[in-house]
Amino acid sequence: MTTVMTVAELDGTSTAEVAELVLACSAGTLRNRFLMPGRPDPRDVLVRYRRYLLAGPPHGVALVAFSGRSPAGLLNLVAGEARAAELGIVVADPWQRQGIATAMASWLRTSGRWEGWTVRAVTHADNVAAKALLRGQGFRLLGGVDRGEYRYELTMPGPVWEVAR
């Protein structure tokens, strides 16, 4: 049986969905996503990063992927300095390696809503999946490894329109 995935933009008040997603993540997943040491406690992550996890318009976007009624993945884009934003993606452990992060990143890239913005992302040097995702979306590596982290950047394209043939 194939699970149907849906994607929805959060309005900044969807704390239950975000909490359910974070609680479904292992310490390793949270450590990779939030660049934290040791074994992060999901409750601490929810408190510490609440504003970032619930980012919504006009200063960002929080996009959640659902598997049925369960939140499976979360994409956050948070505006910082002029026309620059930070990207973060986390997929809960039960749904990893199913294309969820790629689908959310593709939605963001092709939506056109952030056209011309510089989007930045940081990942641990050993996070093979995150590095592959970013390269696959067109992000370019900025220099080499710095304190065990890689920094990526992409100038967002305009909207992608499908043309009927």
Side-chain angles (χ1 to χ4, degrees), residues 90-165:
V90 64
V91 176
D93 291 44
W95 294 280
Q96 290 182 3
R97 306 215 187 313
Q98 296 182 34
I100 293 169
T102 300
M104 290 188 302
S106 294
W107 175 91
L108 180 70
R109 212 173 116 269
T110 61
S111 73
R113 288 173 49 187
W114 299 88
E115 180 178 0
W117 280 65
T118 299
V119 175
R120 297 183 180 119
V122 178
T123 187
H124 282 292
D126 63 353
N127 190 336
V128 175
K131 293 186 300 187
L133 170 71
L134 293 168
R135 283 191 311 268
Q137 293 296 317
F139 281 77
R140 66 182 173 86
L141 180 63
L142 300 176
V145 68
D146 178 27
R147 294 183 307 237
E149 300 172 353
Y150 282 129
R151 299 186 184 290
Y152 290 86
E153 186 175 278
L154 173 69
T155 300
M156 296 297 275
V160 175
W161 305 100
E162 287 192 27
V163 178
R165 295 180 196 246

Side-chain angles (χ1 to χ4, degrees), residues 35-103:
L35 305 174
M36 299 174 78
R39 298 187 50 79
D41 182 318
R43 292 174 300 274
D44 180 45
V45 168
L46 288 167
V47 170
R48 182 181 291 185
Y49 297 104
R50 176 185 167 86
R51 181 182 152 281
Y52 189 82
L53 291 167
L54 294 173
H59 304 292
V61 64
L63 187 68
V64 67
F66 289 93
S67 174
R69 291 184 168 192
S70 298
L74 178 67
L75 176 147
N76 298 107
L77 185 71
V78 180
E81 59 193 66
R83 298 195 51 85
E86 295 294 324
L87 174 68
I89 299 174
V90 64
V91 176
D93 291 44
W95 294 280
Q96 290 182 3
R97 306 215 187 313
Q98 296 182 34
I100 293 169
T102 300

